[in-house]
Amino acid sequence: MVSKESCRNEIRAAIRQLSDRCLYSAAKWAGEQLVGIEQDPSNFTPSNTRFQRGSSSIRRRFSTISTPQPSAGFSQPPATPLPQEEDEVIDGDLYLLAKSYFDCREYRRASHVLRDQMSNKSLFLRCYALYLAGEKRKEEEMIELEGPLGKSDAINRELVSLERELSALKRTGAIDSFGLYLYGVVLKEKGNESLARASLVESVNSYPWNWSAWSELQSLCTSIEILNSLNLNSHWMKEFFLGSAYQELRMHGESLAKYEYLQGIFSFSNYIQAQTAKAQYSLREFDQVEIMFEDLLRNDPYRVEDMDLYSNVLYAKEACAALSFLAHKVFLTDKYRPESCCIVGNYYSLKGQHEKAVMYFRRALKLNKKYLSAWTLMGHEYVEMKNTSAAVDAYRRAVDVNPCDYRAWYGLGQAYEMMGMPFYALHYFRKSIFFLPNDSRLWIAMAKCYQSEQLHMLEEAIKCYKRAVNCGDTEGIALNQLAKLHQKLGRNEEAAFYFEKDLERMDAEGLEGPNMFEALVFLATHLKTNKKFDEAEVYCTRLLDYSGPEKEKAKSLLRGIRMAQTDFPSMDMEHFPL
Amino acid sequence: MAGLTRTAGAFAVTPHKISVCILLQLYAPSAQMSLPFPFSSISQHNRLGLYLLSLTKSCDDIFEPKLEDLINQLREVGEDMDAWLTDHLTNRFSSLTSPDDLLNFFNDMRGILGSLDSGAAQDDQIILDPNSNLGMFVRRCILAFNLLSFEGVCHLFTSIEVYCREAHSSSAQYDESNDNLESLIQHDQMDMEKYIMDKATEEIELQKNASGRVPFHLHTPEALFKVTEGLLVTRKEKSRTNTKKAEATQLACASSSTVDDTLVDESLFLRTNYQIQGFLMEQADAIETHGSSLSSSSIESFLQKLQNLAPELHRVHFLRYLNKLHSDDYFAALENLLRYFDYSAGTEGFDLVLPSTGCSMYGRYEIALLCLGMMHFRFGHPNLALEVLTEAVRVSQQHSNDTCLAYTLAAMSNLLSEMGIASTTSVLGSSYSPVTSTASLLSVQQRVYILLKESLRRADTLKLRRLVASNHLAMAKFELMHVQRPLLSFGPKASVRHKTCPVSVCKEIRLGAHLLSDFSAESSTMTIDGSLSSVWLKDLQKPWGQPVFSQESGSRKSSTFFQFCDHLVSIPGSVSQIIGASYLLRATSWELYGSAPMARMNTLVYAALFGDSSSSSDAELAYLKLIQHLALYKGYKDAFAALKIAEEKFLTVSKSKILLLKLQLLHEHALHRGNLKLAQRMCNELGGLASTTMGVDMELKVEASLREARTLLAAKQYSQAANVAHSLFCTCHKFNLQIEKASVLLLLAEIHKKSGNAVLGLPYALASISFCQSFNLDLLKASATLTLAELWLGLGSNHAKRALDLLHGAFPMILGHGGLELRARAYIFEANCYLSDPSFSVSTDSDTVLDSLRQASEELQALEYHELAAEAFYLMAMVYDKVGQLEEREEAATLFKMHITALENPQDEEPNMA
């Protein structure tokens, strides 16, 4: 098994190596995991536990699920040895200068300083600096060359030379795992995905602690087949990778299991908590997610990452005050993050100020053009503003960013339905259902489309509602509609069956309302005509509990039943005139 | 979303424009410059001027020539001073070493412009009038440069470096590339014949025309003209360039095709929106024109690049849709169609044409529905298509888009008439359409009629000429196939003429073709000097490279002049397409009415005049008709030879009918030669071509089972043949295929005749005749009469007289218009009649019989119809025997024997085509 101590040692060394190579975000990630490891009570110092205070609250609350022992899974790999840093006394000085240039974001200068250095570390830093310089120039060019028809495809001009150099190094074998990572990134940028994957796999197999490499690899795993085909050494970092990859592939159960397992070691990791919350959010467990995020914010009050998700939860729960508090806090932390803009947009949307919401979503999109949820949310706002063509445009962009986004497909369908094009909308609903086949809301939307006045394809609507029922219709629309449709088509038996089921559901949830009256009235009448007077009477008496016209109806029905019951013989007698 | 705003930077300075400026400096050197005046004669100077004029005109085009191309052109223009010109050009470029040089260069450019007021220039200085074309160009360049930010200047500078570097790297291969150019152009010319459009162009055109008054096809909408004078060239010209590119793409290896290369090179300076839109329209045309002969992947990769360059240009998605449509990729086509309309709400590309009318804030989703409906139609989903079109009708009514409504109705009627739909109630069922709702009790035919009328009315009021024309043609088709019946025929008073009306068919066809006269009035606005100048440029590139303007080449000049004229009176492609279609329809109707020469003539007219510019499937149809004609009237040898030619042409077209024709011919041939196994196989393959969906490919299905019945008949399996024919008749009845019914009835009569059951055959023959009468199918009627006569004779020799009378009645038609087989049959039958007539004596009147038999045998030998030929020779031998001409008898007998053995041992050597 992997002991917490060995994990800790590995990470400590890794953070140093990563920051030596200026891979800051990977170092940051590793640092988060480092303090996420549960401390041994033996070397307990107050400073060590500072980060962990309060973290256990969530665990206390949700400790029903038995945590698997961390010993269970990690079949100890032939432990990847931590690479020893080569002693770089000779080029050490230049390296130090270059690193400080790099830290001041003077990338070209940094790479120039290292131009003749041959050690692996210097080599990597030089290439990496060059790459970043190219990226920076690319961003600038994109703005400079922006034409009337959108951005020109400015490219990172360093890619070609970098690829040439790195591939030569790779051929001679003089490349370390960081170089492989950079090579993978370059290849990915050039569109050579399979080679990029191979290079990244090689990189993470030889140096698993570089989270940036894992996340690049994850973005290249667009299907489960690709994911399964990767030949990865087992290491605890792989579990992190799999967790996030599963999540991206909408396999939330598997992903949750991975995180559950990792929590055995990294019990206080904010990252794991946020990822778990994300998965739970996709499973629509809003209450749980809210608690998790509250907890997260308590430990890490200046966190912006993933907070847009939290705002979505608050939006869904219509918690205005909490949302405004969150927005304020995040805005004070960093207002030029797409997440912050998105949160503010959500806030305005909840307040019904859709123009302002759109403005903030736009800002979020300006900061990150591929920010999926902002496109979708903006589409929702446009729908609210009845600007359907703008909504359609926004949704379509979301779909083109990520074709698996069922919300955007659904939004497209909705928009077209609003425009009175139900048949056209059906295609989009079908798409959205394809990506999320067991969501009753989508089925109901599609059924409504079929049911619409223009199409009037009731049989298809019935099929959809049936699927909705099978998916566990939470809003209880499907059963009622099924019953009504069958009633309309004159299939009283089926109608009665679904009314009864609906009634059961309402009883179980303790609901009342017009649907209930309707069901009761229909059942009573139906049973009466079928001469099941006893059962009919039960329903009638239930109706009597309520006031209004239904009561009168029940009374008359009851009278009819009594008459029928008592007059039955007399009616027979009519045939025998006295 | 913001893709349609025209920015100030619409006219961007590019390296090519700088080249032109450098040349302009040479043409009109400013007073300060110390350049020697290099021109040896005034005419040389003028030639350069003209060349520059055409360059400035064409520099709004989307593809700018590379430096290398420019140098090549200079070589041709400059004659003996070309070296000097190119040297100067390259030197000037290499002297631009820093952004500051650029600044100075444009400052110098000011010098060559004369000021507006100063008349006091030196005498020998050539001054550009600032308001002249060249002067305007220079001013625009200077202005555009002055508007550039420093970043822009830097970008210009780098792109100049790239521009020059390319020229250097490729100048070494100059000679080779010159050769390539020649071969390219030759290819281009050969390929001109191949210009073909797909059947779906009609639909696509409809879709495009759906935008409104200004048709798409004439892709020279006035609005565009004003903006980019030189950009748009007439259609023919464009397609020339397009093929050239296409050819080039095919020549070059797929990945690094020329189009792509050019485009990538241009990536540094994106064109203006209008240019790109215009360019995309051309591309759309090219996709239509070439059908699938254009490799779809090369278009795809080029579109991908374009999309990378201009992500906000949504028309790319539409092009991709068209491309996928032509390569029969349903899912990708659907996806791209939806994407296009999602992004642009159906307005991009359309409101370019109609800027004034604007669109409602709801977008133009009805056009999306229309397109989707047509797409489903093309992919053979009639029910889906009908649902979508119904929705399109509803939405366009809702948004009161009458134009779209007219097109939708036309599309709907087209759908209903093409697809075999037994009854609309099952399809339209619940979904209502205001047009069809009143007529829910009407038959499909009546519905088609109403839809057509409605569409025609709307199109008329909206002045959509093309739609009017194509509606007239559709109406003609309808009239051709359907007996006119009053829509509500109640009571005895309703006058019912159970006959089709050829006059009204003719009228409709003529109305359809009227379009041409309308357009010739309009076309004067379409000539622009932009097209002229690019023609000029094209001429320069001709391989022989003769000086176009030199005095001595009179002949050349005249041909150029002719070309100019050709371009001047060019008719928009869609118009010529519709007119071509009217000729084809004429041919079809003559075919049905039974006049072979007229049908052939009209087809030939079509093939000669419209073959180049029309859709591939129409051209294919024309070839089909001609080959069928050959087979019927000249025998198989010629037909197969012609088929071979056609095959090379059309096999790449998607949904090619050539394969179908080949199977038909092979089947026929096998049947005649008595090779029944082969016939059966061909027949089965034919049936396999049809889609399995109900109501789709009805024509093909009917054809296949008709042939099956005939094969069975030839194999003497009468009851089975009768069964097949019966079920076929039922299908025809169900789907209202009246004309096919007539031939099925005739076939049934034949079956009964062959099975020796003449009495049973008679009613079928009579029914067939009456069908033929009401649909005016004269030739079929003649052949039915022949069968009827044969049946009479089959009843006994005492009916010979009656049979002969019937035959003689039909003779003029048969001999005038019938095919080889029919004529031979008639001749043999005539002989038979005479021989079986007891009052006829062979010895006295042998020549009457022998003449017709000789005729028959000749025709049958051309046809390789062994069975009948044997019969003819047998009869001949008998007659000779009676007359006592023994030598001739022996000859006929050996021929008889030859045919019989041939019939009995059908060599399995398949005809070379198989």
Side-chain angles (χ1 to χ4, degrees), chain B residues 137-280:
Chain B
F137 176 80
V138 172
R139 283 163 65 196
R140 283 173 82 187
C141 283
I142 294 173
L143 177 64
F145 182 79
N146 287 342
L147 284 176
L148 281 182
S149 59
F150 187 74
E151 289 99 316
V153 177
C154 290
H155 282 294
L156 179 62
F157 191 70
T158 29
S159 52
I160 288 174
E161 275 175 359
V162 174
Y163 181 73
C164 295
R165 206 184 308 138
E166 264 166 9
H168 278 302
S169 64
S170 56
S171 63
Q173 308 153 344
Y174 167 69
D175 288 328
E176 201 182 324
S177 68
N178 203 25
D179 286 349
N180 277 344
L181 190 70
E182 272 175 45
S183 67
L184 269 185
I185 288 168
Q186 272 159 12
H187 258 286
D188 162 19
Q189 276 158 350
M190 263 157 39
D191 233 53
M192 284 298 283
E193 298 154 33
K194 282 198 186 172
Y195 279 3
I196 22 178
M197 272 188 218
D198 236 294
K199 171 108 188 182
T201 21
E202 274 173 45
E203 305 155 24
I204 291 160
E205 228 159 78
L206 273 178
Q207 303 165 2
K208 303 177 122 194
N209 284 346
S211 81
R213 273 175 272 131
V214 184
F216 236 69
H217 232 298
L218 144 156
H219 43 133
T220 44
E222 279 80 351
L224 215 57
F225 273 133
K226 286 169 200 144
V227 187
T228 56
E229 313 132 275
L231 167 63
L232 288 161
V233 186
T234 47
R235 173 194 176 74
K236 200 159 184 182
E237 199 46 56
K238 275 306 172 191
S239 34
R240 272 178 93 99
T241 34
N242 282 336
T243 358
K244 196 172 145 195
K245 280 171 212 147
E247 271 306 318
T249 29
Q250 279 157 9
L251 287 181
C253 58
S255 58
S256 64
S257 51
T258 334
V259 184
D260 305 352
D261 283 352
T262 347
L263 207 84
V264 176
D265 299 337
E266 311 279 310
S267 68
L268 293 169
F269 23 90
L270 257 183
R271 301 272 161 265
T272 65
N273 193 4
Y274 285 98
Q275 283 172 333
I276 293 180
Q277 297 280 3
F279 173 72
L280 284 183

Side-chain angles (χ1 to χ4, degrees), chain B residues 389-587:
Chain B
L389 287 179
T390 315
E391 193 159 283
V393 168
R394 199 178 52 236
V395 176
S396 28
Q397 279 177 335
Q398 206 173 308
H399 295 171
S400 53
N401 186 345
D402 262 8
T403 314
C404 184
L405 186 59
Y407 278 103
T408 312
L409 293 178
M412 222 167 175
S413 74
N414 189 18
L415 171 73
L416 285 178
S417 61
E418 291 256 321
M419 293 292 170
I421 293 171
S423 69
T424 38
T425 42
S426 65
V427 184
L428 282 175
S430 50
S431 57
Y432 76 98
S433 140
V435 184
T436 46
S437 61
T438 49
S440 57
L441 294 172
L442 299 179
S443 70
V444 183
Q445 279 66 40
Q446 284 160 324
R447 217 170 265 207
V448 171
Y449 185 76
I450 294 177
L451 287 171
L452 267 179
K453 277 279 175 206
E454 278 288 315
S455 174
L456 193 56
R457 189 175 62 77
R458 273 160 220 273
D460 237 352
T461 51
L462 292 169
K463 300 219 167 22
L464 305 170
R465 288 213 186 84
R466 278 168 202 73
L467 185 59
V468 171
S470 55
N471 273 341
H472 276 303
L473 289 186
M475 194 60 106
K477 225 179 270 177
F478 182 83
E479 301 259 9
L480 186 64
M481 305 283 193
H482 297 97
V483 174
Q484 211 170 34
R485 230 179 294 180
L487 280 177
L488 303 163
S489 55
F490 290 124
K493 290 223 163 175
S495 70
V496 182
R497 271 193 326 145
H498 279 295
K499 241 175 178 284
T500 57
C501 184
V503 178
S504 58
V505 173
C506 181
K507 211 172 78 189
E508 294 288 353
I509 290 182
R510 281 184 181 214
L511 280 174
H514 257 307
L515 194 62
L516 184 59
S517 55
D518 280 355
F519 253 99
S520 55
E522 250 178 47
S523 65
S524 57
T525 57
M526 298 188 25
T527 47
I528 41 158
D529 46 356
S531 71
L532 273 176
S533 68
S534 49
V535 169
W536 206 87
L537 273 180
K538 291 277 136 52
D539 278 336
L540 276 177
Q541 290 168 3
K542 291 280 186 240
W544 45 82
Q546 265 188 13
V548 184
F549 280 81
S550 60
Q551 298 298 316
E552 59 272 10
S553 61
S555 62
R556 174 84 190 102
K557 208 177 167 194
S558 69
S559 73
T560 328
F561 175 71
F562 191 71
Q563 252 182 321
F564 279 144
C565 288
D566 188 27
H567 294 301
L568 285 178
V569 294
S570 76
I571 301 162
S574 59
V575 174
S576 75
Q577 206 181 356
I578 291 177
I579 294 165
S582 85
Y583 275 98
L584 267 188
L585 190 60
R586 251 172 245 214

Side-chain angles (χ1 to χ4, degrees), chain A residues 466 469-470 478-480 482-483 494-509 519 523 539:
Chain A
K466 274 190 186 154
V469 171
N470 289 344
L479 282 173
N480 180 262
L482 268 176
E494 281 95 339
F497 173 77
Y498 285 112
F499 270 129
E500 233 169 290
K501 273 200 144 185
D502 198 27
L503 211 55
E504 274 172 32
R505 183 188 62 83
M506 284 187 279
D507 286 342
E509 292 174 19
L523 283 172
Y539 290 118

Side-chain angles (χ1 to χ4, degrees), chain A residues 142-143 145-147 149-153 369, chain B residues 308-312:
Chain A
M142 255 154 90
I143 292 165
L145 289 174
E146 192 171 14
L149 293 168
K151 302 213 160 151
S152 150
D153 66 338
K369 202 143 175 67
Chain B
N308 284 344
L309 290 179
E312 294 295 327

Side-chain angles (χ1 to χ4, degrees), chain B residues 751-763:
Chain B
I751 293 170
H752 286 295
K753 182 192 87 189
K754 287 262 173 71
S755 67
N757 219 337
V759 184
L760 271 179
L762 276 176

Side-chain angles (χ1 to χ4, degrees), chain A residues 416-417 419-426 449 452 454-455 457, chain B residues 365-366 369-370 372 384-398 405 408 412 428 431-434:
Chain A
Y416 279 113
E417 204 187 352
M419 281 186 274
M421 298 162 69
F423 199 80
Y424 201 78
L426 277 174
C449 217
S452 69
Q454 293 99 328
L455 287 183
M457 296 159 89
Chain B
Y365 295 101
E366 59 271 18
L369 286 167
L370 178 58
L372 187 64
L384 267 180
L386 206 55
E387 281 286 357
V388 174
L389 287 179
T390 315
E391 193 159 283
V393 168
R394 199 178 52 236
V395 176
S396 28
Q397 279 177 335
Q398 206 173 308
L405 186 59
T408 312
M412 222 167 175
L428 282 175
S431 57
Y432 76 98
S433 140

Side-chain angles (χ1 to χ4, degrees), chain B residues 612-659:
Chain B
D612 294 348
S613 60
S614 67
S615 77
S616 59
S617 75
D618 275 0
E620 193 188 37
L621 191 64
Y623 274 80
L624 213 80
K625 282 186 191 301
L626 288 173
I627 293 171
Q628 265 167 344
H629 188 272
L630 272 181
L632 274 178
Y633 294 90
K634 290 270 157 44
Y636 292 107
K637 219 182 197 167
D638 296 356
F640 278 125
L643 180 66
K644 205 158 207 169
I645 298 171
E647 247 183 344
E648 280 167 15
K649 257 188 168 168
F650 295 111
L651 262 187
T652 50
V653 175
S654 70
K655 297 193 177 173
S656 172
K657 284 187 200 123
I658 288 291
L659 182 62

